[in-house]
């Protein structure tokens, strides 16, 4: 029996009105519990792809999340199954305190204040967010703490798929290492969109590469990252500088 499919994308294409295509016939599958890197230089189409997965943008093709086909009617169900953490935590943290931010989703789903608080605190523990930070305002947190808080906020829905957009933005080396450990502990399938190839080495088993909206590679992460000439071609590594 094969591994259950957490995310199935078939023939996904997208273009803004009057503009050139941003995504061109993208197809891939992510299994349950699998961590996959979505690699590409800035402007490759990574964020657009993630926004399509949760119905923020609507393209052509099909998207299926844990057995639910994305449609206008099923958008809410898909968003319960697939959570998107934006590249900027400030786009997700907007309440007076961190705990209220983490409880916002569960309350919107109809949970009692007590149940929402329990889910908020459980998610904070899952990502290693200190309990004393829950009473603080989001703007009082460091970049790493904000990143953890935003991640905890999307985990309160207990998603089967977690999509992350440039999760290492504004993080120093210790922050990146701590985030990698957190993501490695999570049981849900993950799609990590980044141009930070060092971050996904050892974290993801597989890598997808977008170049100008086209999926040009889908292979084991170690094989992908070992081919430096290809990484340079994809805009994911600087060419060697040879002295005179």
């Amino acid at each position: 029996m094969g591994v259950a499919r957490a995310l199935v994308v078939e023939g996904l294409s997208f273009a803004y009105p009057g503009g050139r295509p941003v995504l061109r016939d993208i197809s891939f599958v992510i299994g349950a519990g699998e961590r996959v890197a979505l690699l590409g230089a800035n402007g490759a189409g990574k964020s657009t792809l993630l926004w399509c997965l949760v119905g923020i943008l609507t393209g052509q093709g099909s998207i299926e999340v844990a057995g639910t086909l994305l449609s206008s009617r099923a958008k809410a169900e898909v968003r319960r199954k697939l959570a998107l953490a934006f590249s900027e935590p400030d786009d997700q943290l907007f309440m007076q305190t961190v705990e209220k931010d983490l409880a916002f989703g569960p309350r919107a789903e109809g949970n009692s204040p007590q149940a929402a608080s329990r889910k908020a605190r459980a998610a904070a523990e899952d990502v290693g967010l200190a309990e004393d930070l829950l009473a603080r305002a989001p703007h009082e947190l460091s970049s790493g703490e904000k990143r953890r808080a935003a991640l905890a906020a999307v985990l309160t829905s207990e998603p089967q798929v977690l999509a992350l957009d440039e999760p290492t933005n504004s993080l120093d080396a210790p922050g990146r290492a701590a985030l990698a450990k957190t993501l490695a502990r999570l049981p849900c399938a993950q799609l990590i969109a980044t141009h930070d190839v060092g971050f996904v080495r050892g974290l993801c088993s597989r890598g997808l590469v977008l170049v100008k909206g086209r999926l040009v590679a889908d292979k084991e992460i170690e094989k992908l990252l070992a081919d430096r000439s290809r990484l340079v071609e994809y805009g994911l590594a600087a060419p060697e500088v040879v002295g005179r």
Side-chain angles (χ1 to χ4, degrees), residues 38-148:
L38 177 63
L39 299 169
N42 290 334
K46 302 188 301 296
S47 295
T48 299
L49 193 156
L50 297 187
W51 295 343
C52 286
L53 296 184
V54 291
I56 296 174
L57 299 174
T58 302
Q60 297 178 320
S62 67
I63 296 167
E64 182 181 307
V65 181
T68 299
L69 193 65
L70 177 62
S71 66
S72 57
R73 290 185 177 182
K75 194 177 293 186
E77 182 179 356
V78 164
R79 289 179 178 175
R80 283 193 293 270
K81 292 183 174 184
L82 189 152
L84 172 59
F86 293 102
S87 59
E88 296 299 331
D90 288 336
D91 292 339
Q92 290 181 247
L93 303 174
F94 55 89
M95 301 292 283
Q96 298 95 327
T97 69
V98 173
E99 183 169 7
K100 287 183 178 180
D101 260 314
L102 271 56
F104 181 85
R107 290 290 289 134
E109 293 172 359
N111 287 270
S112 68
Q114 296 78 12
S117 179
R118 286 195 297 271
K119 287 192 173 189
R121 289 178 176 272
E125 184 176 354
D126 284 344
V127 302
L129 188 68
E131 186 176 355
D132 64 299
L133 297 179
L134 296 178
R136 292 192 188 180
H139 71 263
E140 296 176 339
L141 305 186
S142 69
S143 295
E145 289 165 348
K146 284 183 181 180
R147 183 72 61 185
R148 287 176 181 269

Side-chain angles (χ1 to χ4, degrees), residues 12 21 29 32 35 46 52 70 83 87 149 169 204 212 232:
L12 177 62
V29 176
R35 287 191 297 275
K46 302 188 301 296
C52 286
L70 177 62
S87 59
N169 276 0
C204 296
K212 295 181 180 179
V232 172

